[in-house]
Amino acid sequence: MTIGLFDEADPRRGHESTLEIIELGERLGFDSAWVRHRHLQYGVSSPVAVLAAASQRTSRIELGTAVIPLGWENPLRLAEDLATVDILSGGRLNPGVSVGPPFHYDRIKDALYPGTAEAEDFSHQRVRRLLDFVRGEPATDFHGTEGFEVFSDRVQPHSPGLGSRMWYGGGSLRSARWAGEHAMNFLTSSVVKAEESEDFAEIQLSHVREFRAHHPDGDRARVSQGLVVIPTDSASSEQRAKYKEYADKRTPRTTTPQGPARMMFAPDLVGSSAEIAERLYDHAAFREIDEVAFALPFTFEHEDYVQILTDIATRLGPELGWRPRS
């Protein structure tokens, strides 16, 4: 999972790096590659466009968004884009979404929704609209022919399998429950609300269980756990020092709930693959899931990501019982 950072003076280089990382992931045998989402920042602002490009440079690896904040999107238009990329990729798209008002909404609402900012609905209903459109529910009461134009009453193109590959990214019990009730897949966040505990692993585990308890597939429902891991097996001494400094700066926020919303952050796991595997096997939520999305740190260099991904694929993965796909 990558945020796809770029330099404002040379944005193409950063986007190209992201595409190269996805291509490397396919060569290394990863099951999927996920793109984070940032607006009015120097990270990927249009993951659907980036993954459309990635779909033409890869042939097997699944491509996901983690996550598209729907507060910035029109669900009908997004459904068209997602279906189009899914068709182009041969059915490999895994769209992850979330809801809520856009970050810094008071500062951008007049640019994003001039005249309608106060009327916008940022509830789960926005996800429900997207799901209905993706799953082929009617978007209008009209279909047929007018002159030379042929009209459909549902979003086109329609990609039949896409509806079962929709993910919801959540960090609360309410989000987990809603995702389960609406038969979505669930991305457990690396940032969660401290509702019933102040232990991150216990909180994540409660979300996994709440989701599956309300999903029609029960324990077979798909959950992906979000974590930051940085294996150092093949890292240089300079890289190891940088990785340690990065984790040390972020550690204080992982020890107690942060802010009025009482958010808990996952600790970064840095060390040899054997050491990381041992810590993961001790992680209450990890023991209950089958899929993990390992997030690449935000601020590293391209060569650092190559080293980290290579170690995950060749060292950490096998330690966890995973084998690369060919």
Side-chain angles (χ1 to χ4, degrees):
M1 185 189 304
T2 178
I3 195 172
L5 287 182
F6 58 85
D7 184 338
E8 183 179 18
D10 186 13
R12 179 175 180 175
R13 178 59 249 165
H15 285 78
E16 183 65 25
S17 173
T18 296
L19 292 171
E20 291 171 2
I21 287 296
I22 294 173
E23 290 179 284
L24 173 64
E26 176 160 277
R27 293 196 300 273
L28 289 171
F30 280 89
D31 299 284
S32 59
W34 297 77
V35 178
R36 290 184 183 268
H37 198 144
R38 290 293 184 271
H39 284 298
L40 302 178
Q41 293 178 261
Y42 305 105
V44 170
S45 62
S46 184
V48 179
V50 170
L51 294 183
S55 76
Q56 303 306 292
R57 294 169 59 156
T58 59
S59 61
R60 175 198 57 78
I61 195 168
E62 295 189 8
L63 304 167
T65 62
V67 290
I68 297 173
L70 291 186
W72 293 78
E73 305 287 344
N74 178 297
L76 193 153
R77 274 292 299 116
L78 180 59
E80 292 177 328
D81 287 347
L82 294 176
T84 299
V85 176
D86 195 49
I87 294 292
L88 291 173
S89 71
R92 291 185 282 140
L93 192 63
N94 283 262
V97 300
S98 66
V99 290
F103 195 48
H104 292 154
Y105 189 52
D106 286 343
R107 298 178 181 179
I108 56 91
K109 63 183 181 181
D110 291 335
L112 186 60
Y113 296 117
T116 64
E118 307 308 323
E120 290 295 329
D121 179 6
F122 298 125
S123 72
H124 283 124
Q125 183 58 29
R126 209 175 186 95
V127 190
R128 187 56 200 253
R129 288 170 57 202
L130 175 66
L131 284 178
D132 286 347
F133 294 143
V134 167
R135 290 172 175 172
E137 295 296 321
T140 174
D141 61 1
F142 172 71
H143 68 277
T145 302
E146 282 188 350
F148 296 103
E149 302 281 352
V150 180
F151 293 87
S152 170
D153 62 354
R154 67 177 182 172
V155 165
Q156 297 295 340
H158 175 66
S159 186
L162 183 58
S164 65
R165 284 180 269 112
M166 297 293 295
W167 295 74
Y168 188 79
S172 69
L173 287 167
R174 178 171 176 264
S175 293
R177 186 181 312 116
W178 192 93
E181 290 171 346
H182 291 81
M184 297 186 76
N185 307 306
F186 189 55
L187 291 162
T188 61
S189 178
S190 57
V191 184
V192 297
K193 285 187 176 180
E195 296 173 284
E196 297 181 329
S197 169
E198 292 187 4
D199 179 276
F200 181 87
E202 290 180 1
I203 296 169
Q204 245 190 1
L205 177 61
S206 72
H207 295 173
V208 172
R209 290 180 172 173
E210 184 75 4
F211 166 71
R212 285 177 165 163
H214 290 85
H215 196 287
D217 291 340
D219 289 344
R220 293 181 292 107
R222 290 183 70 185
V223 181
S224 181
Q225 181 187 26
L227 292 172
V228 177
V229 303
I230 309 176
T232 59
D233 302 89
S234 66
S236 67
S237 57
E238 291 81 7
Q239 286 174 318
R240 293 184 186 193
K242 177 165 63 174
Y243 300 165
K244 183 179 184 303
E245 180 182 10
Y246 173 86
D248 287 346
K249 287 181 178 178
R250 287 159 49 97
T251 296
R253 69 176 190 165
T254 70
T255 58
T256 57
Q258 304 291 303
R262 290 177 54 79
M263 304 307 294
M264 292 288 296
F265 291 79
D268 303 324
L269 305 182
V270 183
S272 70
S273 290
E275 291 168 339
I276 292 174
E278 184 176 0
R279 292 181 66 182
L280 287 173
Y281 281 127
D282 285 339
H283 195 292
F286 179 83
R287 294 196 299 267
E288 203 147 321
I289 53 87
D290 299 312
E291 302 180 51
V292 185
F294 290 134
L296 294 172
F298 288 178
T299 57
F300 290 0
E301 301 298 324
H302 183 86
E303 57 268 24
D304 299 327
Y305 297 142
V306 171
Q307 176 266 311
I308 291 169
L309 286 177
T310 302
D311 279 0
I312 290 175
T314 61
R315 308 283 184 88
L316 179 58
E319 288 274 359
L320 300 173
W322 173 84
R323 293 293 180 269
R325 293 172 62 183
S326 57

